[in-house]
Amino acid sequence: MDYVPLMRRAIALAEKGLGKTAPNPIVGAIVIDASGALIAEGFHDRMQARDHAEVVAIKAAGERANGATLVVTLEPCNHTGSTGPCTQAIIDAGITTVVFAVSEPHSIAAGGADALRAAGVRVVDNVLCQEASWSNRAWLMKIKKNRPFFTWKVATTLDAKVAATDGTSKWITNEKSRSDVQVLRRAADAILVGTNTVIADDPHLIPQADNAGFTHNPIRVICGEQSLPKDSQIFDNAAPTLLVQSKDLVQLVAQLNEKELNHVLVETGPTLGSAMLDAGLLDELIIYQAASLLGSGKQFFSFDHPSTINNQMRLDHISTDVLDGDVKSVYRIRNGE
């Protein structure tokens, strides 16, 4: 049987959990019969329930799970945490074949494939591993580096300016780009800005609702030592706000780790963003470039130390899209990897 189309569906299901699963990974699962017909499906969403995706799908399948195949984006866990092991739920349901994409990287939860095989369940692994890993990159990086995955979102002119010389910076990019940013915000566990951004722009940092009626708002994180106006929008009740009253990035990471976040969207200005990049904290750059030039103004990025062409920071290009004339590009930041 060709499991690739089914795994693509499972990956799409998993992405419905973006911003809703921390500290757990996003996971999608599908139950099919011997002919490949869909019986049931599910994804992990801690906002709704603690059940993992496999259990959600198995419960939806009911008795039809007996003798069926489970297609899941991540190797089923083999430990008891806030829920029981998914491996046992699979065995108890009578699932005869399990197909998964990515092996469990966390030592505490690993061993699911071996446990299933020992129970007589057929296991097929590494199906669309690269695609599923990209989808779940924030959680996988968090496990690897013991910190959240940081995406720096920047909106610039073609000459890399984020603000004019008079300080104005609003609406550099067009409406379609700004709508796309709302998708990024809804997929994040937290949105990070510096105190300068709050003072200059008074952002709300709340995603606009999508057509599905998205209601969960990411945590707002403000980093810096400056005092903030008490009537700033970030102090309303639309979402929790974490104040990190320090320029110490080690302290910032420590406080974010206490929140058990997977993915932080960095919408800060050049000062904090450049410092995080210089410190090796940023994992991804998403840049929206408007079809415009300013000539003078504030650049989105600069180091404080001299650089030469030989020590330029090389990024891995992931994708580029044109949004009504604006150009959105996604880059992976290697950080020595």
Side-chain angles (χ1 to χ4, degrees):
M1 182 180 294
D2 183 7
Y3 295 118
V4 168
L6 296 164
M7 187 61 76
R8 285 210 170 96
R9 172 59 184 166
I11 292 171
L13 282 169
E15 291 177 351
K16 291 185 177 183
L18 285 168
K20 305 173 186 176
T21 66
N24 297 339
I26 60 167
V27 182
I30 295 175
V31 179
I32 59 172
D33 64 18
S35 69
L38 177 68
I39 296 175
E41 61 186 19
F43 64 95
H44 183 45
D45 181 354
R46 291 189 79 236
M47 301 295 109
Q48 300 296 325
R50 289 191 174 273
D51 285 342
H52 291 183
E54 300 95 318
V55 174
V56 173
I58 288 170
K59 285 182 176 179
E63 294 182 357
R64 293 180 296 169
N66 187 37
T69 293
L70 176 72
V71 179
V72 61
T73 56
L74 183 66
E75 179 182 4
C77 66
N78 192 42
H79 83 299
T80 299
S82 59
T83 65
C86 288
T87 50
Q88 193 59 52
I90 291 167
I91 294 166
D92 292 344
I95 296 286
T96 55
T97 300
V98 171
V99 181
F100 69 87
V102 181
S103 297
E104 170 62 62
H106 204 298
S107 58
I108 296 175
D114 290 341
L116 291 170
R117 290 189 179 102
V121 178
R122 175 174 171 259
V123 176
V124 180
D125 60 9
N126 205 37
V127 176
L128 288 186
C129 177
Q130 187 172 354
E131 289 185 28
S133 295
W134 168 257
S135 179
N136 212 5
R137 64 193 180 283
W139 180 78
L140 290 169
M141 185 66 77
K142 184 189 74 169
I143 297 300
K144 182 178 181 179
K145 293 192 173 182
N146 191 34
R147 63 160 176 79
F149 182 94
F150 291 102
T151 295
W152 191 14
K153 187 276 297 181
V154 178
T156 79
T157 59
L158 288 176
D159 51 345
K161 302 299 190 295
V162 295
T165 51
D166 65 357
T168 54
S169 62
K170 201 168 187 179
W171 308 147
I172 288 176
T173 52
N174 63 31
E175 185 175 347
K176 191 166 184 179
S177 290
R178 299 197 299 272
S179 178
D180 194 74
V181 170
Q182 303 309 312
V183 178
L184 298 182
R185 287 180 169 183
R186 289 193 292 267
D189 300 310
I191 299 173
L192 168 66
V193 299
T195 51
N196 278 336
T197 298
V198 175
I199 293 169
D201 299 336
D202 190 24
H204 197 205
L205 303 181
I206 297 299
Q208 297 173 5
D210 60 6
N211 293 332
F214 179 90
T215 57
H216 170 66
N217 292 325
I219 296 171
R220 298 172 291 194
V221 183
I222 318 301
C223 181
E225 297 176 332
Q226 298 182 88
S227 297
L228 302 175
K230 293 183 179 179
D231 60 351
S232 299
Q233 291 192 90
I234 53 97
F235 291 127
D236 69 10
N237 295 322
T241 297
L242 171 65
L243 295 180
V244 182
Q245 296 177 304
S246 172
K247 293 181 179 180
D248 186 342
L249 296 179
V250 173
Q251 183 176 337
L252 170 64
V253 170
Q255 291 198 40
L256 293 175
N257 278 344
E258 288 179 4
K259 296 292 183 181
E260 298 185 305
L261 306 172
N262 292 342
H263 190 186
V264 175
L265 180 63
V266 180
E267 294 199 36
T268 186
T271 302
L272 180 54
S274 296
M276 293 181 70
L277 186 57
D278 199 12
L281 286 178
L282 296 180
D283 303 291
E284 185 175 72
L285 171 66
I286 300 181
I287 183 167
Y288 295 83
Q289 289 180 291
S292 64
L293 299 168
L294 265 176
S296 62
K298 185 180 292 186
Q299 294 191 142
F300 86 89
F301 165 73
S302 65
F303 279 144
D304 289 333
H305 50 76
S307 62
T308 71
I309 199 67
N310 293 326
N311 67 5
Q312 62 185 303
M313 180 178 289
R314 303 294 301 183
L315 309 182
D316 295 323
H317 174 256
I318 303 299
S319 64
T320 292
D321 297 295
V322 179
L323 306 174
D324 285 349
D326 288 354
V327 177
K328 173 192 176 184
S329 296
V330 179
Y331 299 93
R332 174 179 175 265
I333 301 171
R334 300 176 189 175
N335 284 333
E337 296 177 11

